[in-house]
Amino acid sequence: MCYVIGVKIPKKQTIKIGSAVLDLDAIDIPVQSGFAYNQWPVIFKAPLLRPGLMHWELIPNWVRNEKELIESRKKYTTLNIKAETLLSNKVAQSTIYTNRCLVLASHFFEWQQIEKEKYPHCISLNDTSLFYIAGVWNTWTNQNTGEIKNSFGIITTEANALMSKIHNVKKRMPTILNEVLANSWVNENLNDTQLLEIAKHQFTATNMRAHTVAKHFQQSSSPCEKVDYKIFTPQSLF
């Protein structure tokens, strides 16, 4: 799955998605767990393509207030949405045709299990410090307070060769999109076949890199700092 990510944009920069030219503000969030239920930078259409912050957790439209939202978390999570069941997912199906977004990230974290121990890894891309993860979003209104939130969930797909070795139990990874697929995801009217093809896209393993980090990395000011464990060798890991 994909529950812990990080993003760093060191200074204001301009990006292009299709014909849209967007200005991104500097931001530095070295690590954030989805279970913090906090905001995260995304790119979405409303009605023009633009960057913004959204609540990470696709809030079901049948949830009426904060109390019901907290209770719903005990039964299921909508931080991630599986690509394979995207079209039948009760939370996402009302948004998938109109409300797709790109989740900004510089790296993400997953755990490799060896016997009874779990070893966290920081995963990033070889040729860019900022990439796009496919997502879906909606607008939710708290019926008790009138508060309005834009919320999103991350699309995940089957792990590629690299991620199968790292996330070796559930074997999942976020759906990372190149510039062409990112443009299609947010700008084009896609049919069911096209939606699933992009949602299930596996980013090429050879264009990704990974290393082990401290087990308490989420409490560290440098969560991606490399930590070597004696159990690993280059051959055994990759």
Side-chain angles (χ1 to χ4, degrees), residues 70-194:
I70 293 171
E71 286 299 313
S72 73
R73 292 170 183 164
K74 299 175 183 178
K75 303 173 185 177
Y76 51 82
T77 176
T78 53
L79 297 171
N80 291 174
I81 309 293
K82 282 188 174 183
E84 296 84 350
T85 56
L86 180 62
L87 299 180
S88 60
N89 184 289
K90 292 182 179 180
V91 184
Q93 63 185 186
S94 63
T95 69
I96 187 58
Y97 295 104
T98 57
N99 289 19
R100 299 186 295 270
C101 63
L102 302 173
V103 182
L104 297 177
S106 298
H107 50 265
F108 64 99
F109 301 87
E110 284 296 357
W111 284 257
Q112 182 179 28
Q113 185 167 328
I114 299 179
E115 296 179 349
K116 295 183 179 180
E117 290 291 323
K118 291 184 178 182
Y119 300 89
H121 294 66
C122 178
I123 303 102
S124 56
L125 305 191
N126 289 332
D127 57 355
T128 182
S129 60
L130 183 68
F131 57 88
Y132 308 119
I133 301 173
V136 290
W137 69 280
N138 64 14
T139 299
W140 176 73
T141 302
N142 186 324
Q143 296 180 23
N144 282 2
T145 65
E147 178 189 14
I148 297 174
K149 284 184 178 181
N150 287 334
S151 71
F152 75 93
I154 285 175
I155 307 298
T156 67
T157 187
E158 292 184 3
N160 60 22
L162 172 65
M163 291 306 302
S164 291
K165 294 180 179 180
I166 296 174
H167 200 206
N168 59 341
V169 176
K170 294 186 177 180
K171 296 190 176 182
R172 304 291 297 177
M173 65 178 288
T175 300
I176 300 171
L177 303 179
N178 60 31
E179 291 183 4
V180 174
L181 291 178
N183 176 55
S184 297
W185 185 251
V186 292
N187 282 320
E188 296 183 4
N189 293 321
L190 304 175
N191 59 36
D192 288 359
T193 300
Q194 293 169 326

Side-chain angles (χ1 to χ4, degrees), residues 218-232:
Q218 294 189 65
Q219 288 75 50
S220 171
S221 59
S222 302
C224 272
E225 182 177 357
K226 185 176 180 180
V227 171
D228 291 322
Y229 297 94
K230 292 182 178 180
I231 192 171
F232 290 110

